[in-house]
Structure formats: C-alpha cells, structure tokens
Amino acid sequence: MTEIPLWGAIVFAVLILGGAGLTLLGCLGLARLNSFYARVHAPTLGTSFGMVGVVAASALYFSLVEARPVLHEILILVFVTVTTPVTLMLLSRAALHRDRSDGNPDVPQPGPRVPAPQDNTAEHKV
C-alpha cells in the first residue's frame, strides 16, 4: 500500500464530506418537500453537486495512490451531469401530463399555442 500525503488525505476527506453532505441535503429535501414538483429538484441538485465532490475525491485519491493522473472519473462526471437533468425533465413532463389529464385544478393548463413565424422572403422578392 502506498503512503498518502497528509495534504492529500485532508483534501479528499473534505471533498468526500462535502459531496456526501450535499447528497444528504438533497435526500432531506426529497423527504421534507410537499409536492412532486418541489420534490423533484432537491435530489437532482444533491446528485449533481454531491457527485462532483465524490468524483473529485476519487480522482485525487487514485491519482496519488497510482502516482499518475487517473481521469476516467471524468466519464462518470459527464454521464451523471448529462443524464440527471434529462431524467428530471422527463419525470416532470410525465407528471404534468398525468395531472392535466386527471383534471387537477392545482396544475396550470397549457396556454394558447403561438404559431411559428412564417418565412416571408418569397413574397418580398422582386
């Protein structure tokens, strides 16, 4: 086993605790908030920001242990960062569709559709 310098242990301990704290905060928001639409934001933010601390700590730890840069954690960072907001939007839109089709009075109905602007360049040709 390779000795880890004290500064490295302190840095990745702070990163792990910070990431775990943000994830815990997201879990508490999930438990405490009262509606689905409010609840869906808290774990998403906890997942995104908490994951950054944990992944950064992992990259630092294994870079120190192996004495070379370990960058494959960046793939984890990219995939979670991209998929979390997409999942949030899909869940929110599905819940909104369900609530509108059930006739829930607390959910705003869609507004009138605004037609797309027309391309009038053909009319102005001389």
Side-chain angles (χ1 to χ4, degrees):
M1 185 91 175
T2 307
E3 285 288 323
I4 299 169
L6 179 62
W7 67 267
I10 291 171
V11 169
F12 61 73
V14 167
L15 287 170
I16 287 285
L17 290 174
L22 288 171
T23 303
L24 177 65
L25 190 64
C27 292
L28 290 174
L30 178 64
R32 299 281 307 194
L33 295 172
N34 57 0
S35 73
F36 173 79
Y37 300 105
R39 261 188 230 135
V40 77
H41 293 287
T44 303
L45 295 173
T47 300
S48 299
F49 294 131
M51 176 260 325
V52 170
V54 173
V55 168
S58 173
L60 176 65
Y61 175 79
F62 287 109
S63 293
L64 289 175
V65 167
E66 296 182 11
R68 65 178 178 85
V70 177
L71 301 175
H72 59 272
E73 280 90 352
I74 292 174
L75 286 175
I76 297 169
L77 185 81
V78 168
F79 290 139
V80 172
T81 303
V82 168
T83 57
T84 300
V86 171
T87 305
L88 164 76
M89 289 188 305
L90 290 174
L91 286 171
S92 297
R93 286 175 109 13
L96 187 63
H97 176 72
R98 181 200 60 211
D99 287 345
R100 283 181 178 163
S101 64
D102 287 348
N104 187 346
D106 296 334
V107 177
Q109 294 302 314
R113 294 198 178 256
V114 178
Q118 299 294 324
D119 184 20
N120 296 329
T121 56
E123 295 175 6
H124 298 294
K125 287 185 179 178
V126 180

